[in-house]
């Protein structure tokens, strides 16, 4: 039986899809790259906010058109986990719905739907994360490594704990073994992911163990960059900063989704951080690593956000000058504390506030990029353009979401190789250069 998996959403979902493909191939199924080649189509959905839900539902209906060709349809992931009962009733064209923790059951589920049974499986949650087989790309020079699953934070706007369950760390020895396997497969950039990587180890070992884990990962041959994503500000310890400072393999890049800078809004969001603690942590990071690039995400239009709160956020963005920044408008979600709050903000005002910050960020990003003109930076090659130029990233840029470096070279390179590039020009979100 041939299976095609279509993935939407965040890197954690793509990691899940790689695992699903690995499980299937270990059980003698064949995974394919196009839906028309498959007997079964799996849509791995996102269901975090309204825009993601809309996109996921549209994709399900798009893939359901293949039913006429006799193909089976499975829906998995966050949307399926969150709304399995409703979707099972409203989408009879879908043969199975599974959540985010059921991929190990896929071979059995496929056998069931092949016999004509509709299936719905969700809300199962193992306390232990195991090393699972993964099917990587043909050139896995960059790969994610999930070090934990679930979340114990209870942010007022967020449904992730309801979808993915409580926080569960993967055992350190299993993470190190998986990292070695990735390195042997050709991985050069290791991206650590979880809902909150900085909480790693607390449930298993009774202490925050990210710094110790990163230090051990740095000893693995073949890994050239280690990138940390999804770090909570209040758990960025002095020990972690020291490891980042001392270890050359650790990218001087940190993803810290702070969400807001007004204490009034942060309290409403039920975030542990304060405006003061965020500023202090950023200062410590910049003092230890003057070249660090911090990526953050913000939410505008949270219920009760006043003009003063918004102005404080704008001032904060202009003061901190984040090299990488994204802004979301607040999405009112059912079964959340914030979803029941009064003083919901009009969608037009949310959009205006988002646009206002992103316009300012264009100038900040351009300023940051122009400072790199004349510098020589190490670049990891992601693409080769038709004209023979190369497109890659520096250690300051995560794949898919951050800046690119477009450069020329007299040498011939392959995707996944590194090059030293002198930056000759800069734009809002791209750099231009030539290999030296």
């Amino acid at each position: 039986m041939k299976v095609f998996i279509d993935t939407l959403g965040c890197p954690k979902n793509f990691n899940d899809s790689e695992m699903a493909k690995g499980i299937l191939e270990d059980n003698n199924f064949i995974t394919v790259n196009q839906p028309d080649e498959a007997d079964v189509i799996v849509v791995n959905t996102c269901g975090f906010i309204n825009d993601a839900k809309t996109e996921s539902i549209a994709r399900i209906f798009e893939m359901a058109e293949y039913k006429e060709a006799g193909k089976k349809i499975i829906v998995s992931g966050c949307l399926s986990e969150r709304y399995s009962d409703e979707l099972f009733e409203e989408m009879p064209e879908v043969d199975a719905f599974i959540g985010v923790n059921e991929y190990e059951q896929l071979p059995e589920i496929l056998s069931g739907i092949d016999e004509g049974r509709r299936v719905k499986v969700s809300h199962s949650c193992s306390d232990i994360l195991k090393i699972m087989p993964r099917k990587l790309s043909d050139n896995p020079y960059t790969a994610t490594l999930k070090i934990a699953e679930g979340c114990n934070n209870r942010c007022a706007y967020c449904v992730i704990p309801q979808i993915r369950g409580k926080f569960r760390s993967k055992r350190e020895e299993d993470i190190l073994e998986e990292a070695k396997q990735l390195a042997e497969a050709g991985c050069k950039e290791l991206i650590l992911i979880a809902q909150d990587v900085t909480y790693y180890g607390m449930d298993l070992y009774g202490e925050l163990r990210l710094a110790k884990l990163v230090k051990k990962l740095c000893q693995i041959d073949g890994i050239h960059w280690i990138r940390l994503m999804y770090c909570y500000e209040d758990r960025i310890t002095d020990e972690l900063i020291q490891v980042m400072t001392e270890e050359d393999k650790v990218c001087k890049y940190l993803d810290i989704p702070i969400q807001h800078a007004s204490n009034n809004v942060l309290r409403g969001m039920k975030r542990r951080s304060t405006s003061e603690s965020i500023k202090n942590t950023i200062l410590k990071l910049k003092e230890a690593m003057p070249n660090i690039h911090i990526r953050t995400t913000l939410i505008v239009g949270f219920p009760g956000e006043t003009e003063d709160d918004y102005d404080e956020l704008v001032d904060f963005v202009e003061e901190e000058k984040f090299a990488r920044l994204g802004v979301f408008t607040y999405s009112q979600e059912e079964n959340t504390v914030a979803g029941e709050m009064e003083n919901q903000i009009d969608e037009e005002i949310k959009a205006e506030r988002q646009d206002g910050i992103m316009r300012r960020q264009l100038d900040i990003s351009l300023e940051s990029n122009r400072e790199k003109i004349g510098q020589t930076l190490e670049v990891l090659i992601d693409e080769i353009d038709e004209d023979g130029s190369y497109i890659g990233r520096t250690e300051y840029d995560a794949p898919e979401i951050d800046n690119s470096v477009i450069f020329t070279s007299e040498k011939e390179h392959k995707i996944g190789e590194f090059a030293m590039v002198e930056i000759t020009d800069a734009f809002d979100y791209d750099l231009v250069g030539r290999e030296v």
Side-chain angles (χ1 to χ4, degrees):
M1 186 181 290
K2 297 179 181 179
V3 183
F4 168 72
I5 300 182
D6 187 20
T7 309
L8 296 90
C10 68
K12 292 177 281 292
N13 258 20
F14 282 86
N15 185 281
D16 289 345
S17 289
E18 289 177 347
M19 179 182 66
K21 292 176 184 178
I23 291 169
L24 289 170
E25 296 207 347
D26 267 15
N27 285 271
N28 300 316
F29 292 88
I30 300 168
T31 60
V32 295
N33 296 323
Q34 298 297 329
D36 54 4
E37 299 173 359
D39 303 303
V40 179
I41 296 172
V42 180
V43 184
N44 185 1
T45 60
C46 180
F48 180 41
I49 59 176
N50 287 326
D51 286 349
K53 288 185 283 188
T54 300
E55 181 185 11
S56 292
I57 290 169
R59 188 65 62 84
I60 294 168
F61 282 124
E62 179 185 338
M63 292 300 163
E65 293 179 6
Y66 285 97
K67 290 285 287 187
E68 295 180 4
K71 302 180 189 300
K72 302 290 187 179
I73 306 296
I74 295 178
V75 175
S76 70
C78 292
L79 186 78
S80 185
E81 180 78 42
R82 189 176 177 188
Y83 300 107
S84 58
D85 293 339
E86 297 93 326
L87 293 172
F88 191 81
E89 295 296 326
E90 295 176 9
M91 292 185 170
E93 56 269 69
V94 175
D95 298 283
F97 291 93
I98 66 173
V100 297
N101 297 302
E102 287 78 39
Y103 289 107
E104 203 169 359
Q105 302 177 46
L106 254 183
E108 180 182 349
I109 290 168
L110 285 170
S111 298
I113 65 172
D114 193 42
E115 295 170 3
R117 299 194 302 269
R118 288 188 78 212
V119 179
K120 180 184 66 175
V121 185
S122 61
H123 309 303
S124 62
C125 181
S126 170
D127 285 337
I128 301 298
L129 296 187
K130 300 179 291 185
I131 297 181
M132 301 297 290
R134 287 169 65 184
K135 182 180 180 182
L136 304 171
S137 67
D138 293 336
N139 181 12
Y141 63 93
T142 179
T144 57
L145 200 168
K146 186 188 289 186
I147 65 172
E149 178 61 282
C151 187
N152 286 356
N153 301 309
R154 291 293 185 268
C155 301
Y157 51 83
C158 186
V159 296
I160 291 298
Q162 301 171 38
I163 294 173
R164 290 193 172 264
K166 67 180 180 179
F167 188 94
R168 293 103 68 202
S169 297
K170 187 180 291 185
R171 287 184 292 245
E172 184 179 273
E173 57 267 31
D174 289 343
I175 293 172
L176 295 173
E177 176 59 31
E178 186 171 351
K180 290 175 184 175
Q181 292 176 6
L182 290 170
E184 289 169 359
C187 175
K188 300 174 184 177
E189 178 186 32
L190 189 65
I191 305 172
L192 303 190
I193 60 172
Q195 301 302 326
D196 175 5
V197 298
T198 41
Y199 195 57
Y200 173 74
M202 183 58 74
D203 57 319
L204 284 184
Y205 309 111
E207 63 176 357
L208 301 177
R209 289 280 284 266
L210 180 62
K212 292 182 175 64
L213 173 66
V214 170
K215 199 165 184 67
K216 291 179 180 179
L217 287 169
C218 287
Q219 306 309 309
I220 297 175
D221 292 337
I223 301 296
H224 191 72
W225 283 351
I226 297 175
R227 187 179 304 280
L228 305 180
M229 303 292 289
Y230 317 117
C231 302
Y232 274 63
E233 171 273 322
D234 61 307
R235 292 177 180 141
I236 297 173
T237 63
D238 291 343
E239 183 184 12
L240 179 60
I241 294 174
Q242 183 177 354
V243 170
M244 291 186 68
T245 304
E246 294 174 348
E247 296 288 349
D248 291 337
K249 287 188 178 183
V250 183
C251 295
K252 303 307 180 276
Y253 170 105
L254 212 54
D255 177 272
I256 312 174
I258 61 172
Q259 312 304 11
H260 216 281
S262 162
N263 284 331
N264 174 51
V265 177
L266 289 167
R267 281 192 297 270
M269 289 178 167
K270 297 189 179 300
R271 303 281 289 185
R272 292 184 305 274
S273 296
T274 65
S275 178
E276 294 74 24
S277 70
I278 293 168
K279 291 176 181 178
N280 287 338
T281 297
I282 292 172
L283 180 61
K284 287 168 66 174
L285 287 165
K286 289 181 177 179
E287 286 180 342
M289 295 167 281
N291 61 333
I292 191 170
H293 283 47
I294 297 173
R295 157 163 281 281
T296 196
T297 49
L298 306 174
I299 296 174
V300 294
F302 186 81
E305 180 189 59
T306 66
E307 285 291 343
D308 287 343
D309 293 327
Y310 174 70
D311 290 342
E312 185 176 345
L313 181 59
V314 173
D315 290 343
F316 173 77
V317 169
E318 292 182 341
E319 175 186 337
E320 296 298 341
K321 297 187 184 304
F322 291 99
R324 313 284 182 258
L325 182 142
V327 184
F328 295 91
T329 58
Y330 165 73
S331 176
Q332 186 176 8
E333 298 295 322
E334 68 270 26
N335 300 320
T336 63
V337 173
E340 302 299 322
M341 288 180 177
E342 298 179 355
N343 301 321
Q344 299 287 330
I345 306 295
D346 182 79
E347 293 297 329
E348 187 176 342
I349 294 174
K350 293 180 191 177
E352 289 174 357
R353 291 178 179 178
Q354 178 189 40
D355 185 63
I357 292 180
M358 287 310 300
R359 284 179 181 275
R360 182 66 189 98
Q361 181 61 25
L362 280 174
D363 296 332
I364 294 170
S365 180
L366 179 59
E367 179 184 340
S368 173
N369 282 346
R370 282 178 174 167
E371 290 174 355
K372 296 179 176 63
I373 294 176
Q375 296 182 22
T376 298
L377 303 174
E378 187 176 44
V379 173
L380 177 59
I381 299 170
D382 287 323
E383 299 177 50
I384 302 174
D385 207 349
E386 293 179 355
D387 63 3
S389 61
Y390 297 95
I391 302 172
R393 294 174 289 113
T394 69
E395 68 174 295
Y396 310 123
D397 301 287
E400 305 295 335
I401 57 174
D402 289 323
N403 293 10
S404 295
V405 180
I406 304 163
F407 70 96
T408 57
S409 175
E410 295 180 0
K411 303 176 184 177
E412 287 192 10
H413 287 289
K414 297 178 181 178
I415 291 173
E417 293 182 348
F418 288 92
M420 297 304 296
V421 178
E422 180 186 1
I423 304 304
T424 58
D425 204 354
F427 301 95
D428 297 337
Y429 294 115
D430 289 316
L431 298 172
V432 176
R434 58 174 176 266
E435 184 173 16
V436 297

